[in-house]
Amino acid sequence: MSTTTDPMELGESTSTLAGSTTTTTTSTTTAATTVVNAIAKTVAIISSTVSGGSTTGASPARTSSGTTPTPSSTPTPTTPTSSHSFSSNLEDAEEKLSVKDLSQALQHFGIVDYLVFVAMLAVCAVIGFYFGFIEKKQKRKKLAGKDGAGAAGLEERRGSEALDYLVGGRQMKVFPVALSLVASFVSGISLLGTSTEIYVYGTQYAFILVTLAISGTISWYIFLPVFCNLQLTSTYEYFERRFSRRMRLFGASLFVLKAIIWLPIAVYVPALTFNQVSGIGIHTITPIVIIICTFYTCVGGIKGVVYTDVVQSVIMYGSLIVIMIKGTVDLGGFGVVWQRNMDGGRLNTPEWTMDPTVRLSVFSVFVGGTFFKLQSTSINQATVQRFMSLPGLKAIKQTLFTFSIGLTLLYCGCVYVGLVCYATYYDCDPMSTGLAGRRDQLVPLLVMRVLGVVPGLPGLFVSAVFSAALSSLSTLLNSLAAVILEDFVRPRMGKAMKENHIALTMRLVVVTFGISSIFMVYVVEKLGMVLQLSATLQSSLYGPMLGIFTVGMLMPWVGDKCVFVGSVASFMTMAWIAVNAQIANITGSFRHTKLPVSVEKCDYEFDMSRYLNSTAEYEPHSGSSVYHMSFLLYAMMGASLTIIISNLATFVYGRQDVRDVEENLLAPFVQRYLRKKQYYETVELKKPEATKLSESSD
C-alpha cells in the first residue's frame, strides 16, 4: 500500500471528480449513427495527422494569443489563418468532430483486448488456487510423514498457519519478493499519476529517485536489522515491546483506518481508465476485479499475493516498454520527443531555493523526499511484512537492492511516458479542451491513440493499470489480516486460539474488507472529497509513524508517555495542515503554477471558454502559510514534530532509564555505543559466567 502518490497532485486531479461522468453506451439509433460517423471521421483524421488526440476551438478567432489552429502537427502545405480556411480542410464546419464524438470514437476496446485482460485475471486466480489448495495439500502430506518421528512434526506445525499465510514460513525467495515490492509499491494511481506529473510540471519530480538510494541505506542500517532480529509479523508489535500496549493500538488503529479509505480508491481509479477505453461501467468491472483479488488473497496468503505480484509487475514493465517504443516511433524518434519537451520547458530541475512553499525545490526533493520514501520502504507494514518473509538479513539486503533497482526502472519508464505524452499533445492540450476530463485520463488517452490500432495492446495497458491496483489491493488485504490478528485478536485470545481459529480469522478479515470495498466504491464515486481525505490521512499518518519508530530505535531515554504526547500532537498538527492545504487547493486560494500548454493546432471542436478559464492555473501564485508547503515535506515535518515534542515531554514526565530498554529494540549502532559506555554492563557480566559453567562441565 505503500505508494509514492502525490497528495497535492491527487487532490488537484480529483477536485472535479464528484461532478464528472463518462458516456458509456448509446441506446438509440441516432446516437449509434453519430458514433459510426465519428469513428469514420476520426480514422480519416488520425491517419493523416500526428496530433489526432488534439482539440479545436469552436471559434478559432477567439484565441487570445492570436494563434490559429492548423489541421495537424506535421508539416502541411496549407497553413489556415481563419476559421473558413480551417473548415475547408474538413469540407464544412458541421463535419468537424466534437469532443464527445472523438471521445466515443476512441473507445475501441476489442475482443482481443478483453481476452488479454481476462487472461491476466485468470492467471492471478489460478496462482491463488495453487497456493491455497494444491501447494497446501502437498505440505500437509510432508508434515504427516514427519509426525511419525514424534514431536518433530508437531513442532513444525505449531503456529504454521499464521506463519505460512502472513510471511510464507519465512522461506520466500529474493527475486519474487523484490518484484512483489515493486508491484505493491506502485499503485494504479501512481502509475498514471507519475506520467501526468511530468506532463503538467516537468521532470522535477524524477529527481526523487535519487532518494531511493539514500532511504534504502538508512533503512538498512537502522530499521530493517531491528525488525529482522525481532522477527515481527506486525510492525506495531514493536510499539508494545518498546513503549506500551496503548501505543501499539494507536498505531494499528491508524493503519486500519487508512486501509479502509484506501482500498476502494486503489481499484476505483483504474476502473475509470477501463471505463474510458472500453465504455463498460465502473460498477460492472470493480466487483469482478475485487472478488477475484479477494479470492486469491484469501486462499493463497502471502505466497499467492507475491507470485501474482510477479506476474503483474511483468505486465507493468511490458506495457510501459510497448508504449515508450511505439509512442517514440510514431512521433519520429527520440530527438523529436526531447526537442518538444525542451521547447515546452518540461526538462526542468528542482528549484535552488530553501522556500518550503516551492512545490519541488532542491530541499524538498532531496531532504523531504528522503523522509517521504523512508516511511514507505522502512516502516510500512506491507513492506516490512515482505522483508520478514525472507530467511535472513542477507536475503533482505539482496531484496532491498533488487527492489530499489526495479522501482527506479519502473518510475523511469513512467517519466518517459510522460515526456511522450507531452510531445504528442504539445500543441493541443486535451485537458484544456475537455477531451481528458481529469488528469488521470491523459495516459489512457495517449494509449488509445498510440496503441489503439493494434489489437490486444490497449488490453495490455489496462491489464497493467489493474495489475498495479490489484497488487496494492492484495498487499493491503494481507497486511490487514496480519495487523488485526496480531494486534487486536491474538493478544485478547492468547493461547486459546487454535490453528483453525487463526485460519478462519485471517480469511474472514480478507473477505470482509474485500467485499466492503465494493460498496465503498459507491461512496468514493459520489463523494470526491474522499480522495482528498485519503491523501490527507496518509500525509498525516506516515510522518508521525516514522517519528515514533525513530524515537524508539535511536532514543532509549524517551518513554511511553513522552512519545504518546509527541505522536498525538504531531498527528493533529499534520492533519490540520493537510486539511487546510486541500481546502486551499480546492477553493483555488492557492495552487502551484503549472507549465504552459497550447491549443494552437487543435483539429476538432471544443469549448474555448474552458481553455480561457483554465489559463489562471498557469499564472504565478504564491503563499506563505504553513499549509502551502510542498507535499514532500509532510513526512519530514510529521517525523520531526514527533521527535522534538517527545524529547521536550521528557522535561515533564522525566527521562526513561536506558537500562530498562531491551537491547535488541535499538538500532545496531546505538547498541554498540551503549555497550561502549557500559550501559549494558550487567548483561555483559553474564557472558563470562556462562563460559565458566561450560568449562566446569567439561
Side-chain angles (χ1 to χ4, degrees), residues 133-184:
F133 297 101
I134 300 176
E135 195 259 357
K136 192 173 183 179
K137 185 177 180 181
Q138 293 173 350
K139 183 177 180 181
R140 283 177 178 172
K141 289 182 179 179
K142 180 181 177 182
L143 291 176
K146 290 187 177 183
D147 281 345
L154 294 174
E155 182 65 28
E156 185 168 347
R157 286 191 305 177
R158 186 175 300 151
S160 61
E161 184 65 37
L163 196 67
D164 285 345
Y165 193 85
L166 300 177
V167 290
R170 305 196 193 278
Q171 295 298 322
M172 300 293 289
K173 304 298 182 183
V174 169
F175 191 68
V177 172
L179 284 182
S180 175
L181 284 168
V182 171
S184 59

Short mmCIF file of all heavy atoms in Angstrom, two decimals, residues 133-184:
data_model
loop_
_atom_site.label_atom_id
_atom_site.label_comp_id
_atom_site.label_asym_id
_atom_site.label_seq_id
_atom_site.Cartn_x
_atom_site.Cartn_y
_atom_site.Cartn_z
N PHE A 133 -4.62 -24.43 -2.26
CA PHE A 133 -5.11 -25.81 -2.19
C PHE A 133 -4.04 -26.84 -2.55
O PHE A 133 -3.74 -27.73 -1.76
CB PHE A 133 -6.33 -25.96 -3.12
CG PHE A 133 -7.49 -25.10 -2.72
CD1 PHE A 133 -7.74 -23.91 -3.38
CD2 PHE A 133 -8.33 -25.47 -1.69
CE1 PHE A 133 -8.81 -23.11 -3.02
CE2 PHE A 133 -9.41 -24.68 -1.31
CZ PHE A 133 -9.65 -23.49 -1.98
N ILE A 134 -3.46 -26.72 -3.73
CA ILE A 134 -2.52 -27.75 -4.19
C ILE A 134 -1.24 -27.74 -3.36
O ILE A 134 -0.82 -28.77 -2.81
CB ILE A 134 -2.20 -27.55 -5.68
CG1 ILE A 134 -3.49 -27.64 -6.51
CG2 ILE A 134 -1.17 -28.57 -6.15
CD1 ILE A 134 -3.31 -27.37 -7.97
N GLU A 135 -0.60 -26.57 -3.26
CA GLU A 135 0.66 -26.49 -2.51
C GLU A 135 0.44 -26.78 -1.02
O GLU A 135 1.27 -27.42 -0.37
CB GLU A 135 1.25 -25.09 -2.68
CG GLU A 135 2.71 -24.98 -2.27
CD GLU A 135 2.89 -24.34 -0.90
OE1 GLU A 135 1.87 -23.94 -0.32
OE2 GLU A 135 4.04 -24.26 -0.44
N LYS A 136 -0.70 -26.36 -0.51
CA LYS A 136 -1.01 -26.61 0.90
C LYS A 136 -1.23 -28.10 1.16
O LYS A 136 -0.81 -28.64 2.19
CB LYS A 136 -2.26 -25.81 1.29
CG LYS A 136 -2.51 -25.76 2.77
CD LYS A 136 -3.66 -24.80 3.07
CE LYS A 136 -3.87 -24.68 4.57
NZ LYS A 136 -4.96 -23.74 4.88
N LYS A 137 -1.87 -28.78 0.22
CA LYS A 137 -2.09 -30.22 0.35
C LYS A 137 -0.78 -30.98 0.32
O LYS A 137 -0.56 -31.93 1.08
CB LYS A 137 -3.01 -30.69 -0.78
CG LYS A 137 -3.40 -32.16 -0.67
CD LYS A 137 -4.37 -32.53 -1.79
CE LYS A 137 -4.77 -33.99 -1.68
NZ LYS A 137 -5.71 -34.38 -2.78
N GLN A 138 0.14 -30.55 -0.54
CA GLN A 138 1.46 -31.18 -0.60
C GLN A 138 2.22 -31.01 0.71
O GLN A 138 2.90 -31.93 1.18
CB GLN A 138 2.26 -30.59 -1.76
CG GLN A 138 1.70 -30.92 -3.13
CD GLN A 138 2.41 -30.18 -4.25
OE1 GLN A 138 3.21 -29.27 -4.00
NE2 GLN A 138 2.12 -30.56 -5.48
N LYS A 139 2.10 -29.84 1.32
CA LYS A 139 2.79 -29.60 2.59
C LYS A 139 2.22 -30.46 3.70
O LYS A 139 2.94 -30.96 4.56
CB LYS A 139 2.70 -28.12 2.96
CG LYS A 139 3.48 -27.79 4.23
CD LYS A 139 3.45 -26.32 4.55
CE LYS A 139 4.23 -26.05 5.83
NZ LYS A 139 4.22 -24.63 6.21
N ARG A 140 0.90 -30.64 3.69
CA ARG A 140 0.28 -31.48 4.71
C ARG A 140 0.77 -32.92 4.63
O ARG A 140 1.00 -33.58 5.65
CB ARG A 140 -1.24 -31.44 4.56
CG ARG A 140 -1.87 -30.16 5.10
CD ARG A 140 -3.35 -30.14 4.86
NE ARG A 140 -3.97 -28.95 5.41
CZ ARG A 140 -5.25 -28.61 5.20
NH1 ARG A 140 -6.01 -29.37 4.44
NH2 ARG A 140 -5.72 -27.50 5.74
N LYS A 141 0.95 -33.41 3.43
CA LYS A 141 1.48 -34.76 3.26
C LYS A 141 2.89 -34.85 3.81
O LYS A 141 3.27 -35.84 4.44
CB LYS A 141 1.46 -35.15 1.78
CG LYS A 141 0.06 -35.39 1.22
CD LYS A 141 0.13 -35.81 -0.24
CE LYS A 141 -1.25 -36.08 -0.80
NZ LYS A 141 -1.19 -36.47 -2.23
N LYS A 142 3.66 -33.82 3.57
CA LYS A 142 5.04 -33.80 4.06
C LYS A 142 5.08 -33.80 5.58
O LYS A 142 5.86 -34.52 6.21
CB LYS A 142 5.76 -32.56 3.50
CG LYS A 142 7.20 -32.43 3.94
CD LYS A 142 7.82 -31.16 3.37
CE LYS A 142 9.25 -30.98 3.88
NZ LYS A 142 9.85 -29.73 3.36
N LEU A 143 4.22 -32.99 6.20
CA LEU A 143 4.17 -32.93 7.66
C LEU A 143 3.62 -34.21 8.26
O LEU A 143 4.03 -34.63 9.34
CB LEU A 143 3.32 -31.74 8.10
CG LEU A 143 3.89 -30.35 7.84
CD1 LEU A 143 2.90 -29.28 8.25
CD2 LEU A 143 5.20 -30.16 8.58
N ALA A 144 2.69 -34.84 7.54
CA ALA A 144 2.14 -36.10 8.04
C ALA A 144 3.22 -37.16 8.14
O ALA A 144 3.24 -37.99 9.05
CB ALA A 144 1.02 -36.58 7.13
N GLY A 145 4.17 -37.13 7.21
CA GLY A 145 5.28 -38.07 7.27
C GLY A 145 6.19 -37.81 8.44
O GLY A 145 6.77 -38.73 9.02
N LYS A 146 6.33 -36.54 8.84
CA LYS A 146 7.21 -36.21 9.96
C LYS A 146 6.58 -36.55 11.31
O LYS A 146 7.28 -36.68 12.30
CB LYS A 146 7.56 -34.71 9.92
CG LYS A 146 8.48 -34.35 8.77
CD LYS A 146 8.91 -32.90 8.88
CE LYS A 146 9.89 -32.54 7.77
NZ LYS A 146 10.39 -31.17 7.89
N ASP A 147 5.25 -36.63 11.36
CA ASP A 147 4.60 -36.93 12.63
C ASP A 147 4.99 -38.29 13.17
O ASP A 147 4.92 -38.54 14.37
CB ASP A 147 3.08 -36.87 12.47
CG ASP A 147 2.59 -35.44 12.47
OD1 ASP A 147 3.36 -34.56 12.89
OD2 ASP A 147 1.44 -35.21 12.07
N GLY A 148 5.43 -39.17 12.29
CA GLY A 148 5.86 -40.48 12.75
C GLY A 148 7.10 -40.40 13.61
O GLY A 148 7.38 -41.31 14.40
N ALA A 149 7.86 -39.31 13.51
CA ALA A 149 9.07 -39.16 14.29
C ALA A 149 8.79 -38.60 15.67
O ALA A 149 9.71 -38.36 16.44
CB ALA A 149 10.05 -38.24 13.56
N GLY A 150 7.51 -38.34 15.97
CA GLY A 150 7.19 -37.85 17.31
C GLY A 150 6.94 -36.36 17.31
O GLY A 150 6.10 -35.85 16.58
N ALA A 151 7.68 -35.64 18.12
CA ALA A 151 7.42 -34.21 18.33
C ALA A 151 7.89 -33.34 17.20
O ALA A 151 7.52 -32.17 17.13
CB ALA A 151 8.09 -33.76 19.63
N ALA A 152 8.72 -33.87 16.30
CA ALA A 152 9.27 -33.03 15.23
C ALA A 152 8.18 -32.44 14.35
O ALA A 152 8.16 -31.25 14.07
CB ALA A 152 10.26 -33.84 14.38
N GLY A 153 7.25 -33.31 13.91
CA GLY A 153 6.17 -32.82 13.06
C GLY A 153 5.25 -31.88 13.78
O GLY A 153 4.81 -30.88 13.24
N LEU A 154 4.95 -32.20 15.04
CA LEU A 154 4.07 -31.33 15.81
C LEU A 154 4.69 -29.96 16.02
O LEU A 154 4.02 -28.93 15.95
CB LEU A 154 3.77 -31.97 17.18
CG LEU A 154 2.95 -33.27 17.12
CD1 LEU A 154 2.87 -33.86 18.53
CD2 LEU A 154 1.57 -33.03 16.56
N GLU A 155 5.99 -29.91 16.25
CA GLU A 155 6.68 -28.64 16.48
C GLU A 155 6.67 -27.79 15.23
O GLU A 155 6.50 -26.58 15.28
CB GLU A 155 8.12 -28.92 16.92
CG GLU A 155 8.92 -27.67 17.24
CD GLU A 155 8.37 -26.93 18.44
OE1 GLU A 155 7.76 -27.57 19.31
OE2 GLU A 155 8.52 -25.69 18.50
N GLU A 156 6.84 -28.44 14.08
CA GLU A 156 6.86 -27.68 12.83
C GLU A 156 5.48 -27.13 12.49
O GLU A 156 5.34 -26.06 11.92
CB GLU A 156 7.35 -28.57 11.68
CG GLU A 156 7.51 -27.80 10.38
CD GLU A 156 8.25 -28.61 9.33
OE1 GLU A 156 8.83 -29.63 9.70
OE2 GLU A 156 8.23 -28.21 8.17
N ARG A 157 4.45 -27.89 12.91
CA ARG A 157 3.10 -27.43 12.61
C ARG A 157 2.63 -26.33 13.55
O ARG A 157 1.71 -25.60 13.24
CB ARG A 157 2.11 -28.60 12.71
CG ARG A 157 2.22 -29.57 11.54
CD ARG A 157 1.08 -30.53 11.55
NE ARG A 157 0.98 -31.23 12.83
CZ ARG A 157 0.02 -32.10 13.11
NH1 ARG A 157 -0.90 -32.37 12.23
NH2 ARG A 157 -0.01 -32.70 14.29
N ARG A 158 3.25 -26.21 14.70
CA ARG A 158 2.79 -25.25 15.69
C ARG A 158 2.96 -23.82 15.16
O ARG A 158 4.04 -23.38 14.86
CB ARG A 158 3.56 -25.43 16.99
CG ARG A 158 3.04 -24.56 18.14
CD ARG A 158 3.76 -24.87 19.42
NE ARG A 158 3.56 -26.27 19.79
CZ ARG A 158 4.44 -26.99 20.47
NH1 ARG A 158 5.58 -26.46 20.83
NH2 ARG A 158 4.17 -28.24 20.77
N GLY A 159 1.83 -23.11 15.04
CA GLY A 159 1.88 -21.74 14.54
C GLY A 159 2.12 -21.64 13.05
O GLY A 159 2.37 -20.57 12.53
N SER A 160 2.05 -22.76 12.33
CA SER A 160 2.40 -22.74 10.91
C SER A 160 1.35 -22.03 10.07
O SER A 160 1.65 -21.50 9.01
CB SER A 160 2.58 -24.17 10.38
OG SER A 160 1.37 -24.91 10.52
N GLU A 161 0.07 -22.02 10.52
CA GLU A 161 -0.99 -21.41 9.73
C GLU A 161 -0.73 -19.91 9.54
O GLU A 161 -0.69 -19.41 8.42
CB GLU A 161 -2.33 -21.64 10.41
CG GLU A 161 -3.52 -21.12 9.61
CD GLU A 161 -3.70 -21.87 8.30
OE1 GLU A 161 -3.47 -23.10 8.27
OE2 GLU A 161 -4.06 -21.22 7.30
N ALA A 162 -0.54 -19.19 10.64
CA ALA A 162 -0.27 -17.76 10.55
C ALA A 162 1.08 -17.50 9.90
O ALA A 162 1.25 -16.55 9.12
CB ALA A 162 -0.32 -17.12 11.93
N LEU A 163 2.05 -18.34 10.21
CA LEU A 163 3.40 -18.16 9.66
C LEU A 163 3.38 -18.29 8.15
O LEU A 163 3.99 -17.49 7.43
CB LEU A 163 4.35 -19.19 10.28
CG LEU A 163 5.85 -18.93 10.13
CD1 LEU A 163 6.26 -17.70 10.91
CD2 LEU A 163 6.64 -20.14 10.59
N ASP A 164 2.69 -19.31 7.63
CA ASP A 164 2.62 -19.51 6.19
C ASP A 164 1.78 -18.45 5.51
O ASP A 164 2.13 -17.93 4.45
CB ASP A 164 2.05 -20.90 5.88
CG ASP A 164 3.04 -22.01 6.12
OD1 ASP A 164 4.24 -21.69 6.25
OD2 ASP A 164 2.63 -23.18 6.21
N TYR A 165 0.65 -18.12 6.11
CA TYR A 165 -0.29 -17.22 5.46
C TYR A 165 0.22 -15.79 5.40
O TYR A 165 -0.01 -15.08 4.42
CB TYR A 165 -1.62 -17.25 6.23
CG TYR A 165 -2.77 -16.61 5.50
CD1 TYR A 165 -3.51 -17.32 4.56
CD2 TYR A 165 -3.12 -15.28 5.74
CE1 TYR A 165 -4.57 -16.73 3.88
CE2 TYR A 165 -4.17 -14.68 5.07
CZ TYR A 165 -4.90 -15.41 4.15
OH TYR A 165 -5.93 -14.81 3.48
N LEU A 166 0.93 -15.35 6.44
CA LEU A 166 1.32 -13.96 6.54
C LEU A 166 2.75 -13.69 6.09
O LEU A 166 3.04 -12.62 5.56
CB LEU A 166 1.13 -13.46 7.98
CG LEU A 166 -0.30 -13.53 8.52
CD1 LEU A 166 -0.34 -13.09 9.97
CD2 LEU A 166 -1.25 -12.68 7.68
N VAL A 167 3.67 -14.62 6.34
CA VAL A 167 5.08 -14.40 5.97
C VAL A 167 5.68 -15.58 5.21
O VAL A 167 6.90 -15.71 5.09
CB VAL A 167 5.95 -14.10 7.22
CG1 VAL A 167 5.61 -12.74 7.78
CG2 VAL A 167 5.78 -15.18 8.28
N GLY A 168 4.83 -16.45 4.67
CA GLY A 168 5.31 -17.54 3.82
C GLY A 168 6.28 -18.48 4.50
O GLY A 168 7.17 -19.03 3.84
N GLY A 169 6.11 -18.68 5.82
CA GLY A 169 7.03 -19.56 6.54
C GLY A 169 8.44 -19.01 6.64
O GLY A 169 9.37 -19.74 6.98
N ARG A 170 8.61 -17.72 6.32
CA ARG A 170 9.92 -17.05 6.30
C ARG A 170 10.91 -17.78 5.40
O ARG A 170 12.11 -17.83 5.68
CB ARG A 170 10.49 -16.91 7.71
CG ARG A 170 9.54 -16.21 8.68
CD ARG A 170 10.25 -15.75 9.94
NE ARG A 170 9.31 -15.36 10.97
CZ ARG A 170 8.70 -14.17 11.05
NH1 ARG A 170 8.94 -13.27 10.13
NH2 ARG A 170 7.87 -13.89 12.03
N GLN A 171 10.40 -18.31 4.30
CA GLN A 171 11.26 -19.05 3.36
C GLN A 171 11.06 -18.58 1.92
O GLN A 171 11.30 -19.33 0.98
CB GLN A 171 10.96 -20.56 3.46
CG GLN A 171 11.30 -21.19 4.79
CD GLN A 171 12.78 -21.11 5.11
OE1 GLN A 171 13.64 -21.25 4.24
NE2 GLN A 171 13.10 -20.85 6.38
N MET A 172 10.62 -17.34 1.74
CA MET A 172 10.39 -16.82 0.39
C MET A 172 11.72 -16.50 -0.29
O MET A 172 12.75 -16.32 0.36
CB MET A 172 9.52 -15.57 0.45
CG MET A 172 8.14 -15.79 1.07
SD MET A 172 7.07 -16.85 0.09
CE MET A 172 6.71 -15.76 -1.28
N LYS A 173 11.67 -16.45 -1.62
CA LYS A 173 12.87 -16.19 -2.43
C LYS A 173 13.06 -14.70 -2.69
O LYS A 173 12.10 -13.92 -2.67
CB LYS A 173 12.78 -16.94 -3.76
CG LYS A 173 12.56 -18.44 -3.60
CD LYS A 173 13.72 -19.10 -2.87
CE LYS A 173 13.52 -20.61 -2.76
NZ LYS A 173 14.60 -21.27 -2.00
N VAL A 174 14.29 -14.32 -2.96
CA VAL A 174 14.65 -12.91 -3.09
C VAL A 174 13.96 -12.24 -4.27
O VAL A 174 13.29 -11.20 -4.12
CB VAL A 174 16.19 -12.75 -3.21
CG1 VAL A 174 16.55 -11.32 -3.60
CG2 VAL A 174 16.86 -13.12 -1.89
N PHE A 175 14.10 -12.81 -5.46
CA PHE A 175 13.61 -12.14 -6.67
C PHE A 175 12.09 -11.98 -6.68
O PHE A 175 11.58 -10.88 -6.99
CB PHE A 175 14.09 -12.89 -7.91
CG PHE A 175 13.86 -12.14 -9.19
CD1 PHE A 175 14.56 -10.97 -9.47
CD2 PHE A 175 12.92 -12.59 -10.11
CE1 PHE A 175 14.33 -10.27 -10.65
CE2 PHE A 175 12.70 -11.90 -11.29
CZ PHE A 175 13.40 -10.74 -11.56
N PRO A 176 11.30 -13.01 -6.36
CA PRO A 176 9.84 -12.81 -6.32
C PRO A 176 9.42 -11.75 -5.31
O PRO A 176 8.52 -10.95 -5.58
CB PRO A 176 9.30 -14.19 -5.93
CG PRO A 176 10.35 -15.15 -6.35
CD PRO A 176 11.65 -14.43 -6.15
N VAL A 177 10.05 -11.73 -4.14
CA VAL A 177 9.69 -10.74 -3.13
C VAL A 177 10.06 -9.33 -3.61
O VAL A 177 9.31 -8.37 -3.39
CB VAL A 177 10.37 -11.05 -1.78
CG1 VAL A 177 10.15 -9.91 -0.78
CG2 VAL A 177 9.83 -12.35 -1.20
N ALA A 178 11.20 -9.19 -4.28
CA ALA A 178 11.61 -7.88 -4.79
C ALA A 178 10.61 -7.37 -5.83
O ALA A 178 10.20 -6.19 -5.80
CB ALA A 178 13.00 -7.97 -5.41
N LEU A 179 10.18 -8.24 -6.75
CA LEU A 179 9.19 -7.83 -7.75
C LEU A 179 7.84 -7.54 -7.09
O LEU A 179 7.11 -6.64 -7.52
CB LEU A 179 9.03 -8.92 -8.81
CG LEU A 179 10.13 -9.03 -9.85
CD1 LEU A 179 9.80 -10.11 -10.87
CD2 LEU A 179 10.36 -7.70 -10.56
N SER A 180 7.51 -8.31 -6.05
CA SER A 180 6.27 -8.06 -5.32
C SER A 180 6.29 -6.68 -4.66
O SER A 180 5.29 -5.96 -4.66
CB SER A 180 6.05 -9.14 -4.27
OG SER A 180 4.92 -8.87 -3.48
N LEU A 181 7.43 -6.31 -4.11
CA LEU A 181 7.58 -4.99 -3.50
C LEU A 181 7.41 -3.89 -4.55
O LEU A 181 6.76 -2.87 -4.30
CB LEU A 181 8.94 -4.87 -2.82
CG LEU A 181 9.09 -5.59 -1.48
CD1 LEU A 181 10.56 -5.64 -1.07
CD2 LEU A 181 8.28 -4.89 -0.41
N VAL A 182 7.98 -4.11 -5.72
CA VAL A 182 7.85 -3.12 -6.80
C VAL A 182 6.38 -2.97 -7.18
O VAL A 182 5.85 -1.86 -7.30
CB VAL A 182 8.68 -3.53 -8.02
CG1 VAL A 182 8.37 -2.62 -9.20
CG2 VAL A 182 10.17 -3.47 -7.70
N ALA A 183 5.70 -4.11 -7.37
CA ALA A 183 4.30 -4.08 -7.81
C ALA A 183 3.40 -3.44 -6.78
O ALA A 183 2.52 -2.63 -7.11
CB ALA A 183 3.83 -5.50 -8.12
N SER A 184 3.60 -3.79 -5.51
CA SER A 184 2.74 -3.24 -4.46
C SER A 184 3.08 -1.80 -4.13
O SER A 184 2.23 -1.04 -3.65
CB SER A 184 2.85 -4.10 -3.19
OG SER A 184 4.19 -4.15 -2.71
#
